[in-house]
Amino acid sequence: MFRSIVAERNHLFQCYREVMTETVPMSGRRAQAARNDQVILESAKAVFVADPGAPITAVAKHAGVGISALYSRYASKEDLLRTLCTEGLKRVIAETQRALADDRDPWTAFADYMRRCVEADTSSMTLALAGTFTPTPDMFTLAEQANQLAQALFAKVKDVLRPGVDVHDISLVFEVVAAVRTTGQQRTQQLRRRYLAAILDGLRATERGALPGPPPTWQDVSERWMPASGQAG
């Protein structure tokens, strides 16, 4: 009887060990695939922000993966660009939701939001890639969600901003800061933080004069993503 129980337990342990031996490598492969996905997207951003006309092979080289690994995920360069910019939209949405949930005073919440978005650097993709590919309907849905969240955040903080500032001024401020670029990433980040600090001082409501001209509209901000006639891939 005792031997039978021991034998049964040994059998169960052996089965458990075999299952674990089979599943752990699968988990490892999935983890490696996830790392490769992230490396490819980071490389795509670096390559295409620097040169929107670069071939997709340049991304594979930058990422240190074979071209087959890239094409197994993305059917074309345009498909990769859509995924890259979709991830950028999701990041903007997440940061805006975080700012809306921030219960600190409005100026502190707004200033931290601006800094986080500058660090995320999604606006570099807007500067480089807007109009170079055809967005999907899902991307337009995400863009509209981002717009609605931006409107809600602006309503929360507008009383601490100078008169005349509108919601889409903020979108273009990010692009102004993203245009600051040097040959070194660390120096680029330093300068962007510097100029964002100067811009934030200018945005704060402390006896400012009226701003010249009308603010940008949602059409001004969004229409650039539609490629010019004959450019769609």
Side-chain angles (χ1 to χ4, degrees):
M1 175 75 169
F2 177 77
R3 272 190 247 175
S4 173
I5 293 173
V6 171
E8 184 177 355
R9 287 181 177 174
N10 284 342
H11 174 71
L12 289 172
F13 176 77
Q14 181 64 27
C15 290
Y16 174 78
R17 187 170 62 181
E18 289 173 358
V19 168
M20 290 299 292
T21 301
E22 291 174 0
T23 57
V24 169
M26 286 296 293
S27 177
R29 286 195 290 271
R30 285 194 296 269
Q32 184 60 49
R35 285 192 292 271
N36 286 345
D37 288 341
Q38 186 62 32
V39 168
I40 287 171
L41 288 176
E42 289 173 356
S43 293
K45 181 178 178 180
V47 167
F48 293 137
V49 165
D51 179 10
I56 198 170
T57 51
V59 176
K61 182 178 180 181
H62 188 283
V65 300
I67 192 66
S68 60
L70 202 150
Y71 274 119
S72 68
R73 292 167 171 81
Y74 307 104
S76 65
K77 175 181 174 178
E78 185 153 314
D79 189 29
L80 176 55
L81 289 174
R82 290 189 185 107
T83 300
L84 181 64
C85 292
T86 295
E87 291 303 308
L89 277 169
K90 290 178 179 178
R91 177 69 183 272
V92 170
I93 287 170
E95 292 296 353
T96 310
Q97 290 172 328
R98 179 178 170 185
L100 283 167
D102 193 331
D103 59 3
R104 293 176 296 172
D105 69 271
W107 177 257
T108 299
F110 173 72
D112 275 1
Y113 165 75
M114 296 291 285
R115 295 184 192 103
R116 292 196 307 271
C117 288
V118 165
E119 293 297 324
D121 194 26
T122 60
S123 293
S124 286
M125 293 188 288
T126 300
L127 288 171
L129 303 176
T132 65
F133 66 93
T134 303
T136 64
D138 285 346
M139 291 181 70
F140 281 118
T141 298
L142 283 173
E144 183 55 34
Q145 182 184 357
N147 178 42
Q148 293 300 320
L149 288 168
Q151 298 277 0
L153 179 60
F154 183 76
K156 176 181 175 179
V157 304
K158 65 180 181 180
D159 289 343
V160 298
L161 301 179
R162 65 181 293 167
V165 172
D166 197 36
V167 58
H168 299 305
D169 284 312
I170 307 306
S171 297
L172 296 187
V173 163
F174 289 133
E175 294 182 32
V176 168
V177 176
V180 176
R181 183 176 296 276
T182 68
T183 55
Q185 183 178 4
Q186 183 176 2
R187 184 59 177 149
T188 293
Q189 290 174 337
Q190 288 175 337
L191 289 174
R192 286 178 177 176
R193 291 170 189 147
R194 174 183 175 85
Y195 293 115
L196 176 63
I199 291 170
L200 284 173
D201 280 350
L203 288 172
R204 198 164 191 172
T206 51
E207 298 185 9
R208 307 290 185 183
L211 291 171
T217 65
W218 175 234
Q219 183 177 354
D220 292 328
V221 173
S222 62
E223 67 184 359
R224 297 165 299 161
W225 284 97
M226 291 305 297
S229 179
Q231 273 194 319

